[in-house]
Amino acid sequence: MFEKTLSELSQALHAKKISSVELTQAYLDRIERLGEQSNSFITVTVEQALVQARAADQRIAAGEAGPLTGIPLAHKDIFCTDGVRTSCASRMLDNFIAPYDATVVERLAAAGMVMLGKTNMDEFAMGSSNETSYYGPVRNPWDPERVPGGSSGGSAAAVAARLTPAATGTDTGGSIRQPAALCGITGLKPTYGRVSRYGMIAFASSLDQAGPMTRSAEDAALLLQAMAGFDPRDSTSIDRPVPDYRASLEHSLAGLKIGLPREYFDQGLDAATAAVIEAALDQYRRLGAETVDISLPNSGLSVPAYYVIAPSECSSNLSRYDGVRFGYRCEAPRDLEDLYKRSRGEGFGAEVKRRIMVGTYALSAGYYDAYYIKAQKIRQLISADFRRAFEQVDVIMGPATPSTAFRLGEKTDDPVSMYLSDIYTIAVNLAGLPGMSIPAGFVDGLPVGLQLIGGYFQEARLLNVAHQYQQVTDWHRRAPGEA
Ligand code: GLN
């Protein structure tokens, strides 16, 4: 049962082979038994899950169910959940019970999905290894001595370890695609504005985007269908119809033009990972696609530009945590200044503080033009690179990460080497494009992710391209312990 896809689970529920309560209980038992191994959950919402499951069973019995009704899922702990702790993996929000649901949470609940709990992540989504969480690191189910990637590492590990059939994630610079790659699952970051950010705790508002983390592309299509769409409560959400993502999954790839950016296959890429990517590209050629060499000349500037823009936005977004309104407050403050200083000093972890310092510096009067404005100009150049590329090709492919999962602790003392693990994913956020990572093989028993990048609002195309590959390969079906 834990191997079933969302559509298979849906069929089983509709055929009354299993009830949502039974299914939910089975997953809750599995989390109870195995959850600690990966530390992928911060909160498990046992009672609420069973209430939702009972309601789903009633909807199914009444013939009012949709394709996702009764299916369990887990939410990254960055999404506000009414009445449930929403910590963002920070001490700052350890005591925060959200008073409302994020739009994503609301929509998936309205579709009848059952929330199992909230997944672990890097603190405020800042990280690439899940080691910055206040609740401790997440372990990669393929090798517990290795990181699952981040920041949506708990969601990726929980899906890979079959603790949930699907999960939500968010991606500001790679946080869906990079952990999906390192845990051997399918992850999709939609076009900026496709999914509402309302109730999603802000890191860098011009880059943040929520998306599905699942085992297959078909499952991602199902989940995105329920997540996507205009939301008047998010001023950057785009009012544009949501296509039927499953309708085009079976389209043939004959004649598809795949762009291979030479900058994604340079010395920085591990040779064994490169070989797996090459084999995946061969598979696409056999499916009728054609590969074209392209260039994204400003790729090398994406990490430096991102590490000015994202910290700048975060320094502003995180100014709301002041010890006054909500969240952590220090003991016995002497005066207001002491309250601010100690609440923030004690409530935030080291990486979050580093980002706030960098961002505050980059936005300060004397340096604004030299850093922030410059980074914004680079952002335009990066978008223009992609615009030119998509005049020539339908999708862009390359590795999602430079190597497979690294060891816990390996990069914690070297922020720059940590930042470079998103070298292939960050440009996509700067340009606001959709991107995906799909399982493409293994190196020494560790998963490798193939990245697919599409033009604006080309999610259906990406899902089609991913699904066709998953029809002729079974990497996405492999479970930890059997690579
Ligand atoms: N790893 C990147 C960072 O640390 C991206 C994180 C994300 O996408 N949330 O900022």
Side-chain angles (χ1 to χ4, degrees), residues 76 124-128 150-151 170-176 203 208 306-307 310 351 355 418-419 421-422 426 429:
K76 185 177 182 179
F124 283 102
M126 298 172 197
S128 308
S151 67
T170 62
D171 191 313
T172 304
S175 282
I176 288 177
F203 163 12
D208 298 341
Y306 172 90
Y307 278 99
E351 182 62 24
R355 307 274 179 121
M418 184 75 87
Y419 297 168
S421 59
D422 291 304
I426 275 179
N429 300 74

Coordinates of all heavy atoms in Angstrom, one line a residue, residues 76 124-128 150-151 170-176 203 208 306-307 310 351 355 418-419 421-422 426 429, ligand 1:
K76 N 5.0 21.2 4.6 CA 6.2 21.8 5.1 C 5.8 22.8 6.2 O 4.8 23.5 6.1 CB 6.9 22.6 3.9 CG 8.3 23.2 4.3 CD 8.9 23.8 3.1 CE 10.3 24.4 3.4 NZ 11.0 25.0 2.2
F124 N 13.5 29.0 8.6 CA 13.0 30.0 7.7 C 13.4 29.7 6.2 O 13.5 30.6 5.4 CB 13.4 31.4 8.1 CG 12.7 31.9 9.3 CD1 13.2 32.0 10.5 CD2 11.3 32.4 9.1 CE1 12.5 32.4 11.6 CE2 10.6 32.9 10.2 CZ 11.2 32.9 11.4
A125 N 13.6 28.4 5.9 CA 13.9 27.9 4.6 C 15.2 28.4 4.1 O 15.5 28.5 2.9 CB 12.8 28.4 3.6
M126 N 16.1 28.7 5.0 CA 17.5 29.2 4.6 C 18.4 28.1 4.8 O 18.9 27.8 6.0 CB 17.9 30.4 5.5 CG 16.9 31.6 5.3 SD 17.3 32.9 6.4 CE 15.7 33.8 6.2
G127 N 18.8 27.4 3.7 CA 19.7 26.3 3.8 C 19.6 25.3 2.7 O 18.6 25.4 1.9
S128 N 20.5 24.4 2.5 CA 20.5 23.5 1.5 C 20.7 22.1 2.0 O 21.1 21.2 1.2 CB 21.6 23.8 0.5 OG 21.6 25.1 0.1
G150 N 18.0 20.7 1.2 CA 17.1 21.6 1.9 C 16.7 22.7 1.0 O 17.1 22.7 -0.1
S151 N 15.8 23.5 1.4 CA 15.3 23.6 2.7 C 14.1 22.6 3.0 O 13.7 22.3 4.1 CB 14.8 25.0 3.1 OG 13.7 25.4 2.3
T170 N 8.5 24.4 -0.5 CA 8.6 25.8 -1.1 C 10.1 25.9 -1.7 O 11.0 25.2 -1.2 CB 8.4 26.9 -0.1 OG1 9.4 26.8 0.9 CG2 7.0 26.8 0.5
D171 N 10.2 26.7 -2.7 CA 11.5 26.8 -3.4 C 11.8 28.3 -3.7 O 11.0 29.0 -4.4 CB 11.3 26.1 -4.7 CG 12.6 25.8 -5.5 OD1 13.3 26.8 -5.7 OD2 12.8 24.7 -5.9
T172 N 12.8 28.8 -3.0 CA 13.2 30.2 -3.2 C 14.5 30.3 -4.0 O 14.7 31.2 -4.8 CB 13.5 30.8 -1.8 OG1 12.3 30.6 -1.0 CG2 13.9 32.3 -1.8
G173 N 15.3 29.2 -3.9 CA 16.5 29.1 -4.7 C 16.8 27.7 -5.1 O 17.9 27.4 -5.6
G174 N 15.9 26.8 -4.8 CA 16.1 25.4 -5.1 C 15.5 24.4 -4.1 O 15.7 23.2 -4.2
S175 N 14.8 25.0 -3.1 CA 14.4 24.1 -2.0 C 13.4 23.1 -2.2 O 13.1 22.3 -1.3 CB 13.9 25.1 -0.8 OG 15.0 25.6 -0.2
I176 N 12.8 23.0 -3.4 CA 12.0 21.8 -3.8 C 12.9 20.9 -4.6 O 13.0 19.7 -4.3 CB 10.7 22.2 -4.5 CG1 9.7 22.9 -3.6 CG2 10.1 21.0 -5.2 CD1 8.5 23.4 -4.3
F203 N 10.2 34.3 3.2 CA 11.7 34.3 3.2 C 12.1 35.5 2.3 O 12.4 36.6 2.7 CB 12.2 33.0 2.9 CG 13.7 32.9 2.5 CD1 14.6 33.9 2.7 CD2 14.2 31.7 1.9 CE1 15.9 33.8 2.3 CE2 15.5 31.6 1.6 CZ 16.4 32.7 1.8
D208 N 10.0 33.3 -3.6 CA 9.4 32.2 -2.9 C 8.2 31.6 -3.8 O 7.4 32.4 -4.3 CB 8.7 32.6 -1.6 CG 9.7 33.1 -0.5 OD1 10.9 32.8 -0.6 OD2 9.2 33.8 0.4
Y306 N 21.8 36.1 -6.2 CA 20.8 35.6 -5.2 C 21.2 35.9 -3.8 O 20.4 36.2 -3.0 CB 20.7 34.1 -5.5 CG 19.8 33.4 -4.4 CD1 18.5 33.2 -4.6 CD2 20.4 32.8 -3.3 CE1 17.7 32.5 -3.7 CE2 19.6 32.2 -2.3 CZ 18.3 32.0 -2.5 OH 17.5 31.4 -1.6
Y307 N 22.5 35.7 -3.5 CA 22.9 35.9 -2.1 C 23.1 37.4 -1.7 O 23.5 37.7 -0.6 CB 24.2 35.1 -1.7 CG 23.7 33.7 -1.4 CD1 23.7 32.7 -2.4 CD2 23.1 33.4 -0.2 CE1 23.2 31.4 -2.1 CE2 22.6 32.2 0.1 CZ 22.7 31.2 -0.8 OH 22.1 29.9 -0.6
A310 N 18.2 37.6 -2.0 CA 17.4 36.9 -1.0 C 17.7 37.4 0.5 O 16.7 37.6 1.2 CB 17.7 35.4 -1.1
E351 N 22.5 30.8 10.9 CA 22.4 31.1 9.4 C 21.4 32.2 9.2 O 21.6 33.1 8.3 CB 22.0 29.8 8.7 CG 21.9 30.0 7.2 CD 23.2 30.3 6.5 OE1 24.3 30.0 7.1 OE2 23.1 30.9 5.4
R355 N 22.2 35.9 7.3 CA 21.4 36.4 6.2 C 20.9 37.8 6.5 O 20.9 38.7 5.7 CB 20.2 35.5 5.8 CG 20.6 34.1 5.6 CD 21.0 33.8 4.2 NE 21.3 32.4 4.0 CZ 20.7 31.6 3.2 NH1 19.8 32.0 2.4 NH2 21.1 30.3 3.1
M418 N 28.3 25.5 0.8 CA 26.9 25.1 1.0 C 26.0 25.9 -0.1 O 25.2 25.3 -0.8 CB 26.4 25.5 2.4 CG 25.0 25.1 2.7 SD 24.9 23.3 3.0 CE 25.3 23.3 4.7
Y419 N 26.3 27.2 -0.3 CA 25.5 28.0 -1.2 C 25.6 27.4 -2.6 O 24.7 27.5 -3.4 CB 25.9 29.4 -1.2 CG 25.7 30.1 0.2 CD1 26.3 31.4 0.4 CD2 24.9 29.6 1.2 CE1 26.1 32.0 1.7 CE2 24.7 30.2 2.4 CZ 25.3 31.4 2.6 OH 25.1 32.1 3.8
S421 N 25.7 24.5 -3.6 CA 24.9 23.3 -4.0 C 23.6 23.6 -4.7 O 23.0 22.8 -5.3 CB 24.7 22.4 -2.7 OG 24.0 23.1 -1.8
D422 N 23.3 24.9 -4.8 CA 22.1 25.4 -5.5 C 22.5 26.1 -6.8 O 21.7 26.8 -7.4 CB 21.3 26.4 -4.7 CG 20.6 25.7 -3.5 OD1 19.9 24.7 -3.8 OD2 20.9 26.1 -2.4
I426 N 19.2 28.1 -8.8 CA 18.9 29.4 -8.3 C 18.5 30.4 -9.5 O 17.5 31.2 -9.3 CB 20.1 30.0 -7.6 CG1 20.0 29.6 -6.1 CG2 20.2 31.5 -7.7 CD1 21.2 30.1 -5.3
N429 N 14.7 30.6 -10.2 CA 14.0 31.5 -9.3 C 14.2 33.0 -9.6 O 13.2 33.8 -9.6 CB 14.4 31.3 -7.8 CG 14.1 29.9 -7.4 OD1 14.9 29.0 -7.7 ND2 13.1 29.6 -6.6
Ligands
GLN1 N1 19.5 26.9 -0.4 C1 19.0 28.2 -0.8 C2 19.2 29.1 0.4 O1 19.7 28.7 1.3 C3 17.6 28.2 -1.2 C4 16.7 27.9 -0.1 C5 15.3 27.9 -0.6 O2 15.0 27.7 -1.8 N2 14.4 28.2 0.3 O3 18.8 30.2 0.4

